[in-house]
């Protein structure tokens, strides 16, 4: 009868430290978080989830690689993969944020454009030159002519005149090019001469009492008024701002004197 010899591993010498168990937890966590983070970043709308998960995966992966380098872990490849996926998740999260911002901005701009179409509002009518026309989406158009000298008769002046100033006359035209009747155009007018407010001059020929705007403008109909504003003797520019309706943006003309 044969006898089989059984060998048992030699016990560790008395006082020697027991072998440490491999600390692979962070590497595994990095891999799992990296996979979830990267998959969450693909739809882009889940950037809020991909970002934190990617950051955690990146941190855990780096620590896991450090442990593997020190011999405390045996899954260096898993930690490396988790680190890479964590970095990828962060990149996808950033892209998701950018895309989301652009989408939201586009939606806001589209909504504003739709509101502008409904109200006729437009904000692209600033710093217009003489003879230029401000066009609104509701069909209204406002035109201001080049300023020309106006001779003031002090004996007939009602308001808006200062001795020594020069007077300039402009022709303002409002026209309805739309297909609906425009009722009660507001036509609020403000003016500045070289940055200082100036009032509209009124006398027996021009002024608010002389240009009562039409109560309504039928399609294709227009109305015109002559307005006079004063500027200092050395004035160089007259700024005229006109709001044809309370629901519309003001238009601004910069007129050289």
């Amino acid at each position: 009868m044969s006898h089989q010899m059984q060998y048992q591993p030699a016990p560790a010498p008395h006082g020697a430290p027991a072998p440490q168990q491999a600390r692979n937890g962070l590497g595994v966590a990095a891999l799992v978080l990296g996979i979830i983070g990267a998959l969450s970043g693909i739809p882009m709308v889940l950037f809020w989830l991909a970002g934190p998960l990617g950051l955690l995966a990146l941190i855990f992966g780096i620590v896991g690689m450090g442990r593997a380098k020190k011999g405390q872990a045996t899954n260096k490849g898993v930690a490396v993969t988790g680190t890479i996926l964590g970095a990828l998740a962060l990149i996808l999260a950033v892209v998701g944020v950018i895309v989301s911002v652009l989408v939201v901005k586009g939606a806001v701009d589209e909504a504003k454009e739709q509101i502008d179409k409904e109200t006729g509002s437009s904000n692209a009518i600033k710093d217009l030159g003489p003879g230029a026309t401000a066009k609104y989406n509701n069909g209204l158009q406002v035109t201001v002519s080049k300023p020309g000298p106006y001779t003031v008769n002090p004996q007939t002046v009602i308001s808006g005149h200062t001795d020594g100033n020069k007077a300039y006359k402009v022709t303002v035209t409002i026209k309805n090019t739309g297909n609906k009747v425009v009722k009660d155009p507001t036509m609020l007018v403000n003016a500045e001469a070289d940055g200082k407010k100036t009032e509209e001059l009124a006398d027996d020929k021009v002024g608010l009492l002389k240009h009562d705007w039409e109560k309504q403008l039928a399609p294709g109909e227009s109305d015109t008024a002559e307005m006079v504003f004063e500027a200092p003797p050395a004035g160089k520019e007259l700024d005229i701002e006109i709001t044809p309706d309370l629901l519309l943006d003001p238009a601004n003309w910069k007129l050289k004197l």
Side-chain angles (χ1 to χ4, degrees):
M1 184 173 65
S2 61
H3 298 276
Q4 294 181 349
M5 302 295 293
Q6 294 183 355
Y7 294 93
Q8 297 293 334
H14 181 70
Q20 291 185 353
Q21 186 177 1
R23 303 172 64 186
N24 295 333
L26 289 181
V28 174
L31 179 62
V32 174
L33 294 176
I35 292 174
I36 299 175
L39 292 177
S40 300
I42 293 176
M44 294 187 183
V45 294
L46 296 178
F47 64 87
W48 53 270
L49 178 61
L53 292 180
L55 180 61
L56 289 175
L58 186 63
I59 295 174
F60 290 169
I62 292 174
V63 176
M65 287 190 297
R67 287 183 177 180
K69 185 176 181 181
K70 297 176 181 179
Q72 298 174 352
T74 60
N75 61 345
K76 180 179 179 180
V78 173
V80 171
T81 304
T83 302
I84 295 174
L85 290 175
L88 177 61
L90 283 176
I91 294 173
L92 291 175
V94 172
V95 173
V97 170
I98 296 174
V99 172
S100 299
V101 170
L102 293 177
V103 170
V104 171
K105 184 179 182 300
V108 171
D109 291 343
E110 184 176 351
K112 186 178 184 304
E113 183 178 352
Q114 183 63 31
I115 294 174
D116 288 346
K117 287 182 179 180
E118 294 177 358
T119 63
S121 179
S122 172
N123 55 17
I125 45 178
K126 298 178 181 178
D127 298 342
L128 300 174
T133 299
K135 300 178 181 180
Y136 293 88
N137 293 327
N138 66 349
L140 276 183
Q141 295 185 0
V142 181
T143 306
V144 178
S145 70
K146 179 180 179 180
Y150 180 81
T151 302
V152 178
N153 183 356
Q155 297 179 352
T156 61
V157 168
I158 300 174
S159 63
H161 173 62
T162 301
D163 291 338
N165 281 351
K166 292 183 178 180
Y168 298 90
K169 181 173 66 176
V170 297
T171 300
V172 178
T173 302
I174 180 173
K175 184 176 182 180
N176 180 13
T177 64
N179 53 15
K180 296 181 180 180
V181 174
V182 176
K183 296 182 179 180
D184 298 321
T186 306
M187 295 302 287
L188 298 176
V189 181
N190 294 302
E192 292 183 352
D194 289 352
K196 294 184 179 180
K197 185 174 179 60
T198 179
E199 295 182 5
E200 181 182 357
L201 185 141
D203 61 11
D204 61 337
K205 296 180 180 179
V206 296
L208 292 173
L209 298 178
K210 300 296 181 180
H211 60 73
D212 188 15
W213 297 99
E214 293 289 341
K215 295 300 181 182
Q216 65 179 29
L217 292 174
E221 189 176 4
S222 61
D223 194 12
T224 300
E226 291 183 339
M227 298 183 177
V228 175
F229 300 95
E230 289 193 335
K236 296 181 179 180
E237 186 175 77
L238 180 66
D239 291 343
I240 297 180
E241 181 185 81
I242 298 178
T243 306
D245 191 278
L246 293 177
L247 294 178
L248 301 179
D249 293 329
N252 177 264
W253 285 261
K254 286 186 175 296
L255 309 175
K256 299 297 181 181
L257 300 178

